[in-house]
Coordinates of all heavy atoms in Angstrom, one line a residue:
F1 N -4.9 10.2 -5.1 CA -6.0 10.9 -5.7 C -7.3 10.2 -5.3 O -7.4 9.0 -5.5 CB -5.8 10.8 -7.2 CG -4.6 11.6 -7.7 CD1 -3.4 10.9 -8.0 CD2 -4.6 12.9 -7.8 CE1 -2.3 11.5 -8.5 CE2 -3.5 13.6 -8.3 CZ -2.3 12.9 -8.6
V2 N -8.2 11.0 -4.9 CA -9.6 10.5 -4.6 C -10.4 10.5 -5.8 O -10.1 11.1 -6.8 CB -10.2 11.2 -3.4 CG1 -9.5 11.1 -2.1 CG2 -10.4 12.7 -3.8
D3 N -11.5 9.8 -5.8 CA -12.4 9.7 -7.0 C -13.3 10.9 -7.1 O -13.5 11.4 -8.3 CB -13.3 8.5 -6.9 CG -12.5 7.2 -6.9 OD1 -11.5 7.1 -7.8 OD2 -12.7 6.3 -6.2
F4 N -13.8 11.5 -6.0 CA -14.7 12.6 -6.2 C -14.5 13.6 -5.0 O -14.1 13.3 -3.9 CB -16.2 12.2 -6.1 CG -16.6 11.3 -7.2 CD1 -16.6 9.9 -7.0 CD2 -16.9 11.8 -8.4 CE1 -17.0 9.0 -8.0 CE2 -17.3 10.9 -9.4 CZ -17.4 9.5 -9.2
Y5 N -14.8 14.9 -5.3 CA -14.9 15.9 -4.4 C -16.4 16.4 -4.5 O -16.8 16.7 -5.7 CB -14.0 17.1 -4.6 CG -14.3 18.3 -3.8 CD1 -14.0 18.3 -2.4 CD2 -14.9 19.4 -4.3 CE1 -14.3 19.5 -1.7 CE2 -15.2 20.5 -3.6 CZ -14.9 20.5 -2.3 OH -15.2 21.6 -1.5
A6 N -17.1 16.4 -3.4 CA -18.5 16.8 -3.5 C -18.9 17.8 -2.5 O -18.4 17.7 -1.3 CB -19.4 15.6 -3.4
Q7 N -19.8 18.7 -2.8 CA -20.3 19.6 -1.8 C -21.9 19.4 -1.8 O -22.5 19.4 -2.9 CB -20.1 21.1 -2.2 CG -18.6 21.4 -2.0 CD -18.4 22.9 -2.3 OE1 -18.9 23.5 -3.3 NE2 -17.6 23.5 -1.5
I8 N -22.4 19.2 -0.6 CA -23.8 18.8 -0.5 C -24.4 19.8 0.5 O -23.9 19.9 1.6 CB -24.0 17.4 -0.1 CG1 -23.4 16.5 -1.1 CG2 -25.5 17.1 0.2 CD1 -23.3 15.0 -0.7
R9 N -25.5 20.4 0.2 CA -26.2 21.3 1.1 C -27.2 20.5 1.9 O -28.0 19.8 1.4 CB -26.9 22.4 0.3 CG -27.4 23.6 1.1 CD -27.8 24.8 0.3 NE -26.9 25.2 -0.7 CZ -25.8 26.1 -0.5 NH1 -25.6 26.5 0.8 NH2 -25.1 26.4 -1.4
N10 N -27.1 20.7 3.2 CA -28.0 20.0 4.1 C -29.3 20.7 4.3 O -29.5 21.8 3.7 CB -27.3 19.6 5.5 CG -27.0 20.8 6.3 OD1 -27.6 21.9 6.1 ND2 -26.2 20.7 7.3
K11 N -30.2 20.2 5.1 CA -31.5 20.8 5.3 C -31.4 22.2 5.9 O -32.3 23.0 5.6 CB -32.4 19.9 6.2 CG -32.8 18.6 5.5 CD -33.6 17.8 6.4 CE -33.9 16.4 5.8 NZ -34.7 15.6 6.7
D12 N -30.4 22.5 6.7 CA -30.3 23.8 7.3 C -29.6 24.8 6.3 O -29.4 26.0 6.7 CB -29.4 23.7 8.5 CG -30.0 22.8 9.6 OD1 -31.2 22.6 9.6 OD2 -29.2 22.2 10.4
G13 N -29.2 24.4 5.1 CA -28.6 25.3 4.2 C -27.1 25.3 4.3 O -26.5 26.0 3.5
K14 N -26.5 24.6 5.2 CA -25.1 24.5 5.4 C -24.5 23.6 4.3 O -25.0 22.6 4.0 CB -24.7 24.0 6.8 CG -23.2 24.0 7.0 CD -22.9 23.4 8.4 CE -21.4 23.2 8.5 NZ -21.0 22.4 9.6
L15 N -23.4 24.1 3.7 CA -22.7 23.3 2.7 C -21.6 22.4 3.3 O -20.7 22.9 4.0 CB -22.0 24.3 1.7 CG -21.6 23.8 0.4 CD1 -22.8 23.2 -0.4 CD2 -21.0 24.9 -0.5
N16 N -21.8 21.1 3.1 CA -20.8 20.1 3.6 C -19.9 19.7 2.4 O -20.4 19.4 1.4 CB -21.5 18.9 4.2 CG -22.3 19.3 5.5 OD1 -21.9 20.2 6.2 ND2 -23.4 18.7 5.6
S17 N -18.6 19.5 2.7 CA -17.7 19.1 1.6 C -17.2 17.7 2.0 O -16.8 17.4 3.1 CB -16.5 20.1 1.5 OG -17.0 21.4 1.2
Y18 N -17.1 16.9 0.9 CA -16.6 15.5 1.1 C -15.6 15.1 0.0 O -15.7 15.6 -1.1 CB -17.8 14.6 0.9 CG -18.9 14.7 1.9 CD1 -20.0 15.6 1.6 CD2 -18.9 14.1 3.1 CE1 -21.0 15.7 2.6 CE2 -19.9 14.2 4.1 CZ -20.9 15.1 3.8 OH -21.9 15.2 4.7
L19 N -14.6 14.4 0.5 CA -13.7 13.6 -0.5 C -14.2 12.2 -0.5 O -14.4 11.6 0.6 CB -12.3 13.7 0.0 CG -11.6 15.0 0.0 CD1 -10.2 14.9 0.5 CD2 -11.5 15.6 -1.4
L20 N -14.5 11.7 -1.6 CA -15.1 10.3 -1.7 C -14.2 9.4 -2.5 O -13.7 9.7 -3.6 CB -16.5 10.4 -2.4 CG -17.5 11.4 -1.8 CD1 -18.7 11.5 -2.7 CD2 -17.9 10.9 -0.4
E21 N -14.0 8.2 -2.0 CA -13.2 7.1 -2.6 C -14.2 6.0 -2.9 O -14.9 5.5 -1.9 CB -12.1 6.7 -1.7 CG -11.2 5.7 -2.3 CD -10.3 6.1 -3.5 OE1 -10.2 7.3 -3.7 OE2 -9.8 5.2 -4.2
I22 N -14.2 5.5 -4.1 CA -15.1 4.3 -4.4 C -14.2 3.1 -4.6 O -13.2 3.1 -5.3 CB -15.8 4.5 -5.8 CG1 -16.5 5.9 -5.8 CG2 -16.8 3.4 -6.0 CD1 -17.6 6.1 -4.8
K23 N -14.4 2.1 -3.8 CA -13.6 0.8 -3.8 C -14.6 -0.4 -3.8 O -15.6 -0.3 -3.1 CB -12.7 0.8 -2.7 CG -11.5 1.7 -2.7 CD -10.5 1.2 -3.8 CE -9.3 2.1 -3.8 NZ -8.6 1.9 -5.0
P24 N -14.1 -1.5 -4.3 CA -14.9 -2.7 -4.1 C -14.8 -3.1 -2.6 O -13.8 -2.8 -2.0 CB -14.1 -3.8 -4.9 CG -13.2 -3.0 -5.9 CD -13.0 -1.7 -5.2
K25 N -15.8 -3.7 -2.1 CA -15.9 -4.0 -0.7 C -14.7 -4.9 -0.3 O -14.2 -4.8 0.8 CB -17.2 -4.8 -0.4 CG -17.5 -5.1 1.0 CD -18.8 -5.7 1.2 CE -19.1 -6.1 2.6 NZ -20.4 -6.7 2.8
K26 N -14.3 -5.8 -1.2 CA -13.2 -6.7 -0.9 C -11.9 -5.9 -0.6 O -11.1 -6.3 0.2 CB -12.9 -7.6 -2.1 CG -11.9 -8.7 -1.8 CD -11.9 -9.7 -3.0 CE -11.0 -10.8 -2.6 NZ -11.1 -11.9 -3.5
Q27 N -11.7 -4.7 -1.2 CA -10.5 -3.9 -1.0 C -10.6 -3.0 0.2 O -9.7 -2.5 0.7 CB -10.2 -3.1 -2.2 CG -9.7 -3.9 -3.4 CD -9.3 -3.0 -4.5 OE1 -9.2 -1.8 -4.4 NE2 -9.1 -3.6 -5.7
A28 N -11.9 -2.9 0.7 CA -12.1 -2.0 1.8 C -12.2 -2.7 3.2 O -12.4 -2.0 4.2 CB -13.4 -1.1 1.6
T29 N -12.2 -4.0 3.1 CA -12.3 -4.8 4.4 C -11.0 -5.6 4.5 O -10.4 -6.1 3.6 CB -13.5 -5.7 4.4 OG1 -13.4 -6.5 3.3 CG2 -14.8 -4.9 4.4
E30 N -10.6 -5.8 5.8 CA -9.4 -6.5 6.1 C -9.5 -8.0 5.6 O -10.5 -8.6 5.9 CB -9.0 -6.4 7.6 CG -7.7 -7.0 7.9 CD -7.3 -6.8 9.4 OE1 -8.1 -6.2 10.1 OE2 -6.2 -7.2 9.7
P31 N -8.5 -8.5 4.9 CA -8.6 -9.9 4.5 C -8.6 -10.9 5.7 O -8.0 -10.6 6.7 CB -7.4 -10.1 3.6 CG -6.8 -8.8 3.4 CD -7.3 -7.9 4.4
E32 N -9.4 -11.9 5.5 CA -9.3 -13.0 6.6 C -8.0 -13.7 6.6 O -7.4 -13.9 5.5 CB -10.4 -14.0 6.3 CG -11.8 -13.5 6.4 CD -12.9 -14.6 6.2 OE1 -12.5 -15.8 6.4 OE2 -14.0 -14.3 5.7
I33 N -7.5 -14.0 7.8 CA -6.2 -14.7 7.9 C -6.4 -16.1 7.4 O -7.4 -16.8 7.8 CB -5.8 -14.7 9.3 CG1 -5.5 -13.2 9.8 CG2 -4.5 -15.5 9.5 CD1 -5.1 -13.1 11.2
K34 N -5.5 -16.5 6.5 CA -5.6 -17.9 5.9 C -4.5 -18.7 6.3 O -3.4 -18.2 6.6 CB -5.7 -17.8 4.4 CG -6.9 -17.0 3.9 CD -7.0 -16.9 2.4 CE -8.2 -16.1 2.0 NZ -8.3 -16.0 0.6
K35 N -4.7 -20.0 6.4 CA -3.7 -20.9 6.8 C -2.6 -21.0 5.8 O -1.4 -21.2 6.1 CB -4.2 -22.3 7.1 CG -5.2 -22.4 8.3 CD -5.7 -23.8 8.5 CE -6.7 -23.8 9.6 NZ -7.2 -25.2 9.9
R36 N -3.0 -21.0 4.5 CA -2.1 -21.1 3.4 C -1.8 -19.7 2.8 O -2.7 -19.0 2.4 CB -2.7 -22.0 2.3 CG -1.7 -22.6 1.4 CD -2.3 -23.8 0.7 NE -1.4 -24.0 -0.4 CZ -1.8 -24.0 -1.7 NH1 -3.1 -23.9 -2.0 NH2 -0.9 -24.2 -2.6
I37 N -0.5 -19.4 2.7 CA -0.1 -18.1 2.2 C 0.1 -18.2 0.7 O 1.1 -18.8 0.3 CB 1.2 -17.6 2.9 CG1 1.1 -17.6 4.4 CG2 1.6 -16.2 2.3 CD1 0.1 -16.6 5.0
T38 N -0.8 -17.6 -0.1 CA -0.7 -17.7 -1.5 C -0.4 -16.3 -2.1 O -0.5 -15.3 -1.3 CB -2.0 -18.2 -2.1 OG1 -3.1 -17.2 -1.8 CG2 -2.4 -19.5 -1.6
K39 N -0.1 -16.2 -3.3 CA 0.2 -14.9 -4.0 C -1.0 -14.0 -3.9 O -1.0 -12.8 -3.7 CB 0.6 -15.1 -5.4 CG 2.0 -15.6 -5.6 CD 2.4 -15.7 -7.0 CE 3.8 -16.2 -7.2 NZ 4.2 -16.3 -8.6
Q40 N -2.2 -14.6 -4.1 CA -3.4 -13.9 -4.1 C -3.7 -13.3 -2.7 O -4.0 -12.1 -2.5 CB -4.6 -14.8 -4.4 CG -6.0 -14.0 -4.4 CD -7.1 -14.9 -4.7 OE1 -7.0 -16.0 -5.1 NE2 -8.3 -14.4 -4.5
Y41 N -3.4 -14.1 -1.6 CA -3.6 -13.6 -0.3 C -2.6 -12.5 0.0 O -3.0 -11.5 0.6 CB -3.4 -14.8 0.7 CG -3.4 -14.3 2.2 CD1 -4.6 -13.9 2.7 CD2 -2.3 -14.3 2.9 CE1 -4.7 -13.5 4.1 CE2 -2.3 -13.8 4.3 CZ -3.5 -13.5 4.8 OH -3.6 -13.0 6.1
I42 N -1.4 -12.6 -0.4 CA -0.4 -11.6 -0.2 C -0.8 -10.3 -0.9 O -0.7 -9.2 -0.3 CB 1.0 -12.0 -0.7 CG1 1.5 -13.1 0.3 CG2 2.0 -10.9 -0.7 CD1 2.8 -13.8 -0.2
N43 N -1.3 -10.4 -2.1 CA -1.8 -9.2 -2.9 C -3.0 -8.6 -2.1 O -3.0 -7.3 -2.1 CB -2.2 -9.6 -4.3 CG -1.0 -9.9 -5.2 OD1 0.1 -9.4 -4.9 ND2 -1.3 -10.7 -6.2
E44 N -3.9 -9.4 -1.6 CA -5.0 -8.8 -0.8 C -4.5 -8.0 0.4 O -5.0 -6.9 0.7 CB -5.9 -9.9 -0.4 CG -6.7 -10.5 -1.5 CD -7.5 -11.7 -1.1 OE1 -7.6 -12.1 0.1 OE2 -8.2 -12.4 -2.0
V45 N -3.5 -8.6 1.1 CA -3.0 -8.0 2.3 C -2.3 -6.7 2.0 O -2.5 -5.6 2.6 CB -2.1 -8.9 3.1 CG1 -1.4 -8.2 4.2 CG2 -2.9 -10.1 3.6
V46 N -1.5 -6.7 0.9 CA -0.8 -5.5 0.5 C -1.7 -4.4 0.0 O -1.6 -3.2 0.4 CB 0.3 -5.8 -0.6 CG1 0.9 -4.6 -1.2 CG2 1.4 -6.7 0.0
T47 N -2.7 -4.8 -0.8 CA -3.7 -3.8 -1.3 C -4.4 -3.2 -0.1 O -4.6 -1.9 -0.1 CB -4.7 -4.5 -2.2 OG1 -4.0 -5.0 -3.3 CG2 -5.8 -3.6 -2.7
Y48 N -4.8 -4.0 0.9 CA -5.5 -3.4 2.0 C -4.6 -2.5 2.8 O -5.1 -1.4 3.2 CB -6.0 -4.6 2.9 CG -6.7 -4.1 4.2 CD1 -8.0 -3.5 4.1 CD2 -6.1 -4.1 5.4 CE1 -8.7 -3.1 5.2 CE2 -6.8 -3.6 6.5 CZ -8.1 -3.1 6.4 OH -8.7 -2.6 7.5
A49 N -3.4 -2.8 3.0 CA -2.5 -2.0 3.8 C -2.2 -0.7 3.0 O -2.2 0.4 3.7 CB -1.1 -2.7 4.0
V50 N -2.0 -0.7 1.7 CA -1.8 0.5 0.9 C -3.0 1.4 1.0 O -2.9 2.6 1.2 CB -1.4 0.1 -0.5 CG1 -1.5 1.4 -1.4 CG2 -0.1 -0.5 -0.6
N51 N -4.2 0.8 0.9 CA -5.4 1.6 0.9 C -5.6 2.2 2.3 O -6.0 3.4 2.4 CB -6.7 0.7 0.7 CG -6.8 0.4 -0.8 OD1 -6.3 1.1 -1.7 ND2 -7.6 -0.6 -1.1
Q52 N -5.3 1.5 3.4 CA -5.4 2.1 4.7 C -4.5 3.3 4.9 O -4.9 4.3 5.4 CB -5.0 1.0 5.8 CG -6.1 0.0 5.9 CD -7.4 0.5 6.4 OE1 -7.5 1.2 7.4 NE2 -8.4 0.2 5.6
A53 N -3.2 3.2 4.4 CA -2.3 4.3 4.4 C -2.8 5.5 3.6 O -2.8 6.7 4.1 CB -0.9 3.9 3.9
K54 N -3.3 5.3 2.4 CA -3.9 6.3 1.6 C -5.1 7.0 2.3 O -5.2 8.2 2.3 CB -4.3 5.8 0.3 CG -3.2 5.4 -0.7 CD -3.7 4.9 -2.0 CE -2.7 4.5 -2.9 NZ -3.2 3.9 -4.2
W55 N -5.9 6.2 2.9 CA -7.1 6.7 3.5 C -6.8 7.5 4.8 O -7.5 8.5 5.1 CB -8.1 5.6 3.8 CG -8.6 4.9 2.5 CD1 -8.5 5.4 1.3 CD2 -9.1 3.6 2.4 NE1 -9.0 4.5 0.4 CE2 -9.4 3.4 1.0 CE3 -9.4 2.6 3.3 CZ2 -10.0 2.2 0.6 CZ3 -10.0 1.4 2.8 CH2 -10.3 1.3 1.5
K56 N -5.8 7.1 5.5 CA -5.4 7.9 6.7 C -4.9 9.3 6.2 O -5.3 10.3 6.8 CB -4.2 7.1 7.4 CG -3.8 7.9 8.6 CD -2.7 7.1 9.4 CE -2.3 7.9 10.6 NZ -1.1 7.2 11.3
A57 N -4.1 9.3 5.1 CA -3.6 10.6 4.6 C -4.8 11.4 4.1 O -4.9 12.7 4.4 CB -2.6 10.4 3.5
A58 N -5.7 10.8 3.4 CA -6.9 11.5 2.9 C -7.8 12.1 4.0 O -8.3 13.2 3.9 CB -7.7 10.6 2.0
T59 N -7.9 11.3 5.1 CA -8.7 11.7 6.2 C -8.1 13.0 6.9 O -8.8 13.9 7.2 CB -8.8 10.6 7.3 OG1 -9.4 9.5 6.7 CG2 -9.6 11.0 8.5
E60 N -6.8 13.0 7.0 CA -6.1 14.1 7.6 C -6.2 15.4 6.7 O -6.4 16.5 7.2 CB -4.6 13.8 7.9 CG -4.4 12.8 9.0 CD -5.0 13.3 10.3 OE1 -4.8 14.5 10.7 OE2 -5.7 12.6 11.1
Y61 N -6.0 15.1 5.4 CA -6.1 16.2 4.4 C -7.5 16.9 4.5 O -7.6 18.1 4.5 CB -5.8 15.6 3.0 CG -5.9 16.7 1.9 CD1 -4.8 17.4 1.6 CD2 -7.0 16.9 1.2 CE1 -4.8 18.3 0.6 CE2 -7.1 17.8 0.1 CZ -6.0 18.5 -0.2 OH -6.0 19.5 -1.2
A62 N -8.5 16.0 4.5 CA -9.9 16.5 4.5 C -10.1 17.2 5.9 O -10.7 18.3 5.9 CB -10.9 15.4 4.3
K63 N -9.7 16.7 6.9 CA -9.9 17.2 8.3 C -9.3 18.6 8.4 O -9.9 19.5 8.9 CB -9.4 16.3 9.3 CG -9.6 16.7 10.7 CD -9.1 15.7 11.7 CE -9.3 16.2 13.1 NZ -8.7 15.2 14.1
D64 N -8.1 18.8 7.8 CA -7.4 20.1 7.9 C -8.2 21.2 7.1 O -8.0 22.3 7.4 CB -6.0 20.0 7.2 CG -5.0 19.2 8.1 OD1 -5.3 18.9 9.3 OD2 -4.0 18.8 7.5
R65 N -9.1 20.8 6.2 CA -9.8 21.7 5.4 C -11.3 21.8 5.9 O -12.1 22.5 5.2 CB -9.7 21.3 3.9 CG -8.4 21.7 3.4 CD -8.0 20.8 2.2 NE -6.7 21.2 1.7 CZ -5.6 20.8 2.3 NH1 -5.6 20.1 3.4 NH2 -4.4 21.2 1.8
G66 N -11.6 21.1 6.9 CA -13.0 21.1 7.4 C -13.9 20.3 6.6 O -15.2 20.5 6.6
W67 N -13.4 19.3 5.8 CA -14.1 18.4 5.0 C -14.2 17.1 5.7 O -13.7 16.8 6.7 CB -13.5 18.2 3.6 CG -13.2 19.4 2.8 CD1 -13.8 20.7 3.0 CD2 -12.3 19.6 1.7 NE1 -13.3 21.6 2.1 CE2 -12.4 20.9 1.3 CE3 -11.4 18.7 1.1 CZ2 -11.6 21.4 0.2 CZ3 -10.7 19.2 0.0 CH2 -10.8 20.5 -0.4
E68 N -14.9 16.1 5.0 CA -15.0 14.8 5.5 C -14.6 13.8 4.4 O -15.0 14.0 3.2 CB -16.5 14.5 6.0 CG -16.6 13.2 6.7 CD -18.0 13.0 7.3 OE1 -18.8 14.0 7.4 OE2 -18.4 11.9 7.7
F69 N -13.8 12.8 4.8 CA -13.4 11.7 3.8 C -14.3 10.5 4.1 O -14.5 10.1 5.2 CB -11.9 11.4 4.0 CG -11.5 10.2 3.2 CD1 -11.3 10.4 1.8 CD2 -11.2 9.0 3.7 CE1 -10.9 9.3 1.0 CE2 -10.8 7.9 3.0 CZ -10.7 8.1 1.6
K70 N -14.8 9.9 3.0 CA -15.6 8.7 3.1 C -15.2 7.7 2.0 O -14.8 8.1 0.9 CB -17.1 9.0 2.9 CG -17.7 9.8 4.0 CD -19.2 9.8 4.0 CE -19.8 10.5 5.1 NZ -19.9 9.7 6.3
V71 N -15.2 6.4 2.4 CA -14.9 5.3 1.4 C -16.3 4.7 1.2 O -17.0 4.3 2.1 CB -13.9 4.3 2.0 CG1 -13.8 3.1 1.0 CG2 -12.6 4.9 2.3
L72 N -16.7 4.6 -0.1 CA -17.9 4.0 -0.5 C -17.7 2.7 -1.2 O -16.8 2.6 -2.0 CB -18.7 5.0 -1.4 CG -19.0 6.3 -0.8 CD1 -19.7 7.2 -1.8 CD2 -19.8 6.3 0.5
T73 N -18.5 1.7 -0.9 CA -18.4 0.4 -1.6 C -19.7 0.1 -2.3 O -20.7 0.9 -2.3 CB -18.1 -0.7 -0.6 OG1 -19.2 -0.9 0.2 CG2 -16.9 -0.5 0.2
E74 N -19.8 -1.0 -2.9 CA -21.1 -1.4 -3.6 C -22.3 -1.4 -2.6 O -23.4 -1.3 -3.0 CB -20.9 -2.7 -4.4 CG -20.6 -3.9 -3.5 CD -19.1 -4.2 -3.4 OE1 -18.3 -3.3 -3.7 OE2 -18.8 -5.3 -3.0
D75 N -22.0 -1.6 -1.3 CA -23.0 -1.6 -0.3 C -23.7 -0.2 -0.2 O -24.8 -0.1 0.2 CB -22.5 -2.0 1.0 CG -22.1 -3.5 1.1 OD1 -22.5 -4.2 0.2 OD2 -21.4 -3.8 2.0
H76 N -22.9 0.8 -0.5 CA -23.4 2.2 -0.4 C -24.1 2.7 -1.7 O -24.8 3.8 -1.7 CB -22.3 3.1 -0.1 CG -21.6 2.8 1.2 ND1 -20.4 2.1 1.3 CD2 -22.0 3.0 2.5 CE1 -20.1 1.9 2.5 NE2 -21.0 2.4 3.3
L77 N -23.8 2.0 -2.8 CA -24.3 2.5 -4.1 C -25.6 1.7 -4.5 O -25.7 0.5 -4.2 CB -23.2 2.4 -5.2 CG -21.9 3.1 -4.8 CD1 -20.9 2.8 -5.8 CD2 -22.1 4.6 -4.7
N78 N -26.5 2.3 -5.2 CA -27.7 1.6 -5.6 C -27.6 1.2 -7.1 O -28.2 1.8 -7.9 CB -28.9 2.6 -5.4 CG -29.2 2.9 -4.0 OD1 -29.0 2.0 -3.1 ND2 -29.6 4.1 -3.7
F79 N -26.9 0.2 -7.3 CA -26.8 -0.4 -8.7 C -27.4 -1.7 -8.7 O -27.5 -2.5 -7.9 CB -25.3 -0.5 -9.1 CG -24.7 0.8 -9.4 CD1 -23.7 1.3 -8.6 CD2 -25.1 1.6 -10.5 CE1 -23.1 2.5 -8.8 CE2 -24.5 2.8 -10.8 CZ -23.5 3.3 -9.9

């Protein structure tokens, strides 16, 4: 399940459709390889891998419908 479905009209009047996922930047970037394998590191790697699989499916789903899938992090939001 994605967080949002949005339709935005561009300057030409065309309606663009988006599936949007909001995630912390830490979950949207690949974890750095660490010398010591800890539970936290394993959780980070698993979370990233699961997210990648979900995002691949969401990208295909959106593409099949002429939409665009985007992942937004705190870097994209103005808080």
Side-chain angles (χ1 to χ4, degrees):
F1 296 100
V2 295
D3 294 317
F4 297 99
Y5 168 75
Q7 291 184 316
I8 300 171
R9 192 168 307 277
N10 67 17
K11 292 178 182 179
D12 299 335
K14 182 181 174 195
L15 196 60
N16 296 324
S17 298
Y18 298 93
L19 292 179
L20 303 172
E21 181 72 16
I22 311 295
K23 286 288 183 197
K25 185 176 180 180
K26 187 172 185 172
Q27 290 182 10
T29 55
E30 188 172 3
E32 291 182 28
I33 297 174
K34 298 183 180 178
K35 292 180 182 180
R36 203 162 161 239
I37 307 293
T38 63
K39 286 183 183 182
Q40 179 182 352
Y41 176 71
I42 292 170
N43 287 337
E44 289 174 3
V45 170
V46 169
T47 298
Y48 179 74
V50 168
N51 283 340
Q52 289 298 305
K54 288 179 182 179
W55 297 341
K56 181 178 179 184
T59 299
E60 290 300 317
Y61 181 86
K63 185 177 179 183
D64 289 346
R65 286 155 180 78
W67 303 343
E68 192 173 342
F69 173 72
K70 294 196 176 273
V71 177
L72 304 176
T73 67
E74 60 268 18
D75 290 344
H76 300 101
L77 305 173
N78 294 324
F79 288 110

